[in-house]
Amino acid sequence: MLNCSVKDDIRDYWSVRAKTYDRSPGHGLMAPREAAAWRTLIRRHLGPGEGRRALDLGCGTGAMSRLMQKAGFAVTGLDFAGSMRDRARATSARIAFIAAGAENTVEPDSHYDAIIARNLLWTLPDPEAALADWFRILKPGGRLLVIDGDHARQSLIERALPWFDRLLGRVQDSHSPVTPAQWREHWRIMAQLPFGTGLRARDAARLLSRAGFTELRHENLRAIHSRRWPLFSRARLAALGQHRFAVSASKPGLEVVVSFGERRVREEPTR
């Protein structure tokens, strides 16, 4: 049974974080080279947009929704934090944003060609229920792309960053999108979650397989993080040691074969 108080805490936490969320790396404004790398990753895992229907789960302020729209998808963003949706609507033209929880989207069966969930899986009290629902609303042959990482354990590089800040004479809290009080709330909530001690790529792949997804693909995000600017920014240095990944998989049914060189799509029944 879901612990509703934890879900309320999660919603309240991200509602407050919405005020500064776009200052986090990979959200809000990003370098054109990084945005292009994200779109390439999306197409590599989900195929060409070509007007296909896509859902951005836990869309936040709409960064991935906008990237998917530019990749050619007809995007709907979903989030249960109202202040996140408000900010997304303010910066995202022609994208619908709806209110729902990621573990029970209340969307129609077999409705979406593609689903993306970035930095969402690790926040869920019941990830198995969420994946079962995502499987339900995805069309046969459609693909799910999970972009996530270990948000619990710090690498040696991240632990060394305060020294780097002192070397440059800057105060970390002066530019951090997360206040000390919000960090304390972050760790308090994480302690109650299934992945409170860290989510790894193998954990996500195992969950997708158990939910019935097939044709798994995975990669790290170094190619994207290497395109962050400026060259010696704190976000880029931190990413060098972070465990961040993309894992995608298909719902069995129609097999979609994509040849990007020839821009060719063939659908055929799976056996």
Side-chain angles (χ1 to χ4, degrees), residues 25-43:
H27 301 279
L29 295 175
M30 63 178 72
R33 292 173 70 244
E34 181 181 353
W38 276 117
R39 291 194 296 273
T40 297
L41 181 142
I42 289 169
R43 292 190 186 101

mmCIF file of all heavy atoms in Angstrom, residues 25-43:
data_model
loop_
_atom_site.group_PDB
_atom_site.id
_atom_site.type_symbol
_atom_site.label_atom_id
_atom_site.label_comp_id
_atom_site.label_asym_id
_atom_site.label_seq_id
_atom_site.Cartn_x
_atom_site.Cartn_y
_atom_site.Cartn_z
ATOM 1 N N PRO A 25 21.282 21.958 -13.507
ATOM 2 C CA PRO A 25 21.886 21.548 -14.779
ATOM 3 C C PRO A 25 20.922 20.715 -15.626
ATOM 4 O O PRO A 25 20.228 19.837 -15.115
ATOM 5 C CB PRO A 25 23.095 20.704 -14.338
ATOM 6 C CG PRO A 25 23.418 21.193 -12.971
ATOM 7 C CD PRO A 25 22.103 21.563 -12.346
ATOM 8 N N GLY A 26 20.870 21.027 -16.921
ATOM 9 C CA GLY A 26 20.019 20.266 -17.822
ATOM 10 C C GLY A 26 18.572 20.682 -17.824
ATOM 11 O O GLY A 26 17.736 20.051 -18.465
ATOM 12 N N HIS A 27 18.253 21.758 -17.126
ATOM 13 C CA HIS A 27 16.882 22.277 -17.093
ATOM 14 C C HIS A 27 16.917 23.741 -17.520
ATOM 15 O O HIS A 27 17.964 24.372 -17.574
ATOM 16 C CB HIS A 27 16.277 22.133 -15.706
ATOM 17 C CG HIS A 27 16.226 20.717 -15.235
ATOM 18 N ND1 HIS A 27 15.239 19.849 -15.615
ATOM 19 C CD2 HIS A 27 17.065 20.007 -14.435
ATOM 20 C CE1 HIS A 27 15.461 18.660 -15.063
ATOM 21 N NE2 HIS A 27 16.563 18.728 -14.351
ATOM 22 N N GLY A 28 15.752 24.306 -17.798
ATOM 23 C CA GLY A 28 15.723 25.695 -18.215
ATOM 24 C C GLY A 28 16.571 25.904 -19.451
ATOM 25 O O GLY A 28 16.603 25.092 -20.374
ATOM 26 N N LEU A 29 17.294 27.010 -19.469
ATOM 27 C CA LEU A 29 18.159 27.304 -20.606
ATOM 28 C C LEU A 29 19.387 26.396 -20.572
ATOM 29 O O LEU A 29 20.012 26.218 -19.530
ATOM 30 C CB LEU A 29 18.589 28.777 -20.563
ATOM 31 C CG LEU A 29 17.479 29.814 -20.745
ATOM 32 C CD1 LEU A 29 18.037 31.215 -20.568
ATOM 33 C CD2 LEU A 29 16.825 29.668 -22.109
ATOM 34 N N MET A 30 19.727 25.816 -21.712
ATOM 35 C CA MET A 30 20.929 25.008 -21.811
ATOM 36 C C MET A 30 21.647 25.361 -23.101
ATOM 37 O O MET A 30 21.055 25.933 -24.021
ATOM 38 C CB MET A 30 20.587 23.512 -21.754
ATOM 39 C CG MET A 30 19.729 23.002 -22.900
ATOM 40 S SD MET A 30 19.404 21.201 -22.801
ATOM 41 C CE MET A 30 18.258 21.116 -21.422
ATOM 42 N N ALA A 31 22.932 25.046 -23.143
ATOM 43 C CA ALA A 31 23.725 25.343 -24.334
ATOM 44 C C ALA A 31 23.131 24.621 -25.536
ATOM 45 O O ALA A 31 22.644 23.492 -25.414
ATOM 46 C CB ALA A 31 25.168 24.904 -24.122
ATOM 47 N N PRO A 32 23.143 25.253 -26.718
ATOM 48 C CA PRO A 32 22.601 24.599 -27.920
ATOM 49 C C PRO A 32 23.224 23.235 -28.180
ATOM 50 O O PRO A 32 22.528 22.313 -28.629
ATOM 51 C CB PRO A 32 22.926 25.600 -29.031
ATOM 52 C CG PRO A 32 22.988 26.926 -28.354
ATOM 53 C CD PRO A 32 23.565 26.643 -27.001
ATOM 54 N N ARG A 33 24.516 23.075 -27.910
ATOM 55 C CA ARG A 33 25.177 21.791 -28.146
ATOM 56 C C ARG A 33 24.619 20.718 -27.218
ATOM 57 O O ARG A 33 24.462 19.562 -27.604
ATOM 58 C CB ARG A 33 26.690 21.926 -27.948
ATOM 59 C CG ARG A 33 27.366 22.789 -29.003
ATOM 60 C CD ARG A 33 28.834 23.041 -28.695
ATOM 61 N NE ARG A 33 29.630 21.830 -28.858
ATOM 62 C CZ ARG A 33 30.274 21.216 -27.868
ATOM 63 N NH1 ARG A 33 30.188 21.685 -26.628
ATOM 64 N NH2 ARG A 33 31.001 20.138 -28.108
ATOM 65 N N GLU A 34 24.317 21.084 -25.979
ATOM 66 C CA GLU A 34 23.732 20.113 -25.054
ATOM 67 C C GLU A 34 22.312 19.753 -25.476
ATOM 68 O O GLU A 34 21.926 18.575 -25.453
ATOM 69 C CB GLU A 34 23.728 20.658 -23.623
ATOM 70 C CG GLU A 34 23.159 19.664 -22.613
ATOM 71 C CD GLU A 34 23.110 20.190 -21.193
ATOM 72 O OE1 GLU A 34 23.635 21.295 -20.934
ATOM 73 O OE2 GLU A 34 22.536 19.490 -20.320
ATOM 74 N N ALA A 35 21.515 20.750 -25.873
ATOM 75 C CA ALA A 35 20.145 20.484 -26.321
ATOM 76 C C ALA A 35 20.147 19.563 -27.535
ATOM 77 O O ALA A 35 19.324 18.641 -27.636
ATOM 78 C CB ALA A 35 19.440 21.799 -26.640
ATOM 79 N N ALA A 36 21.079 19.797 -28.469
ATOM 80 C CA ALA A 36 21.165 18.939 -29.658
ATOM 81 C C ALA A 36 21.529 17.514 -29.278
ATOM 82 O O ALA A 36 21.009 16.549 -29.857
ATOM 83 C CB ALA A 36 22.199 19.501 -30.629
ATOM 84 N N ALA A 37 22.408 17.358 -28.282
ATOM 85 C CA ALA A 37 22.787 16.018 -27.833
ATOM 86 C C ALA A 37 21.606 15.296 -27.186
ATOM 87 O O ALA A 37 21.426 14.088 -27.369
ATOM 88 C CB ALA A 37 23.959 16.108 -26.854
ATOM 89 N N TRP A 38 20.787 16.028 -26.449
ATOM 90 C CA TRP A 38 19.591 15.427 -25.867
ATOM 91 C C TRP A 38 18.638 14.950 -26.960
ATOM 92 O O TRP A 38 18.093 13.847 -26.883
ATOM 93 C CB TRP A 38 18.874 16.442 -24.973
ATOM 94 C CG TRP A 38 19.381 16.560 -23.570
ATOM 95 C CD1 TRP A 38 19.941 17.650 -22.975
ATOM 96 C CD2 TRP A 38 19.355 15.539 -22.562
ATOM 97 N NE1 TRP A 38 20.272 17.378 -21.681
ATOM 98 C CE2 TRP A 38 19.917 16.095 -21.392
ATOM 99 C CE3 TRP A 38 18.907 14.214 -22.536
ATOM 100 C CZ2 TRP A 38 20.044 15.371 -20.210
ATOM 101 C CZ3 TRP A 38 19.035 13.488 -21.356
ATOM 102 C CH2 TRP A 38 19.599 14.064 -20.211
ATOM 103 N N ARG A 39 18.430 15.764 -27.971
ATOM 104 C CA ARG A 39 17.512 15.371 -29.051
ATOM 105 C C ARG A 39 18.035 14.144 -29.795
ATOM 106 O O ARG A 39 17.252 13.270 -30.185
ATOM 107 C CB ARG A 39 17.292 16.546 -30.017
ATOM 108 C CG ARG A 39 16.498 17.692 -29.407
ATOM 109 C CD ARG A 39 16.009 18.661 -30.472
ATOM 110 N NE ARG A 39 17.096 19.335 -31.154
ATOM 111 C CZ ARG A 39 17.660 20.464 -30.720
ATOM 112 N NH1 ARG A 39 17.251 21.038 -29.604
ATOM 113 N NH2 ARG A 39 18.640 21.022 -31.427
ATOM 114 N N THR A 40 19.349 14.065 -29.970
ATOM 115 C CA THR A 40 19.936 12.892 -30.614
ATOM 116 C C THR A 40 19.694 11.641 -29.776
ATOM 117 O O THR A 40 19.344 10.573 -30.306
ATOM 118 C CB THR A 40 21.444 13.092 -30.823
ATOM 119 O OG1 THR A 40 21.647 14.197 -31.714
ATOM 120 C CG2 THR A 40 22.089 11.856 -31.426
ATOM 121 N N LEU A 41 19.860 11.757 -28.465
ATOM 122 C CA LEU A 41 19.618 10.617 -27.577
ATOM 123 C C LEU A 41 18.155 10.188 -27.643
ATOM 124 O O LEU A 41 17.846 8.991 -27.695
ATOM 125 C CB LEU A 41 20.006 10.974 -26.141
ATOM 126 C CG LEU A 41 19.821 9.874 -25.090
ATOM 127 C CD1 LEU A 41 20.957 9.899 -24.072
ATOM 128 C CD2 LEU A 41 18.478 9.998 -24.364
ATOM 129 N N ILE A 42 17.244 11.158 -27.643
ATOM 130 C CA ILE A 42 15.811 10.851 -27.707
ATOM 131 C C ILE A 42 15.494 10.077 -28.981
ATOM 132 O O ILE A 42 14.803 9.048 -28.956
ATOM 133 C CB ILE A 42 14.989 12.154 -27.618
ATOM 134 C CG1 ILE A 42 15.067 12.731 -26.194
ATOM 135 C CG2 ILE A 42 13.531 11.899 -28.016
ATOM 136 C CD1 ILE A 42 14.523 14.142 -26.082
ATOM 137 N N ARG A 43 15.990 10.553 -30.114
ATOM 138 C CA ARG A 43 15.718 9.866 -31.380
ATOM 139 C C ARG A 43 16.363 8.485 -31.417
ATOM 140 O O ARG A 43 15.797 7.544 -31.986
ATOM 141 C CB ARG A 43 16.232 10.709 -32.550
ATOM 142 C CG ARG A 43 15.470 12.014 -32.763
ATOM 143 C CD ARG A 43 15.882 12.658 -34.065
ATOM 144 N NE ARG A 43 15.270 13.976 -34.246
ATOM 145 C CZ ARG A 43 15.897 15.124 -34.033
ATOM 146 N NH1 ARG A 43 17.164 15.116 -33.614
ATOM 147 N NH2 ARG A 43 15.280 16.276 -34.223
#
